[in-house]
Amino acid sequence: MYPSHLKYTKDHEWVSVDGDHGTVGITHFAQQQLGDVVYVELPEIGTVLTVGQPFGTIESVKAVSELFAPMSGTVVDVNTALKDRPDSVNSAPHDTWMIKVKLGDPGDLSALLGAPEYETLTH
């Protein structure tokens, strides 16, 4: 169920790593717990993130939840399409990215979970 090429956080974000950049979204488990997503608030390009700290919020019909940075670094791109189509997180959570980050400390990635570990965490 969880793509093996992605890494995962215990806070239910996923990361796709390409060199010194990471692309971040939320997992199927997270969107399932949230229900219908109606709004996503993301940081601006240039925002400096600290691993484990909030970088935005996601709002559903059930709740508002914080999004946590899976790694430290600088935001280099933001998925602005989520302003008009926040529900795309529900229909394709592992294909819908939120932010792209230039990694500040590649060592942060060692704390992320592989798909089997994440799946164990969510069951």
Side-chain angles (χ1 to χ4, degrees), residues 6-61:
L6 300 176
K7 296 290 186 186
Y8 302 88
T9 71
K10 292 178 181 174
D11 295 314
H12 311 294
E13 287 86 19
W14 59 258
V15 179
S16 173
V17 180
D18 183 15
D20 64 350
H21 286 77
T23 301
V24 180
I26 66 165
T27 66
H28 173 72
F29 179 84
Q31 70 81 25
Q32 199 172 36
Q33 296 299 305
L34 286 165
D36 294 333
V37 174
V38 296
Y39 180 73
V40 179
E41 180 181 84
L42 299 172
E44 294 181 12
I45 292 173
T47 300
V48 176
L49 305 180
T50 302
V51 66
Q53 296 301 305
F55 70 83
T57 57
I58 187 164
E59 185 176 337
S60 71
V61 293

Side-chain angles (χ1 to χ4, degrees), residues 60-97:
S60 71
V61 293
K62 290 191 208 175
V64 176
S65 298
E66 289 186 310
L67 299 165
F68 296 96
M71 69 278 208
S72 297
T74 304
V75 176
V76 295
D77 200 1
V78 175
N79 187 348
T80 56
L82 289 175
K83 284 186 182 206
D84 296 326
R85 293 289 320 273
D87 59 321
S88 61
V89 170
N90 292 116
S91 58
H94 296 130
D95 295 323
T96 304
W97 63 277

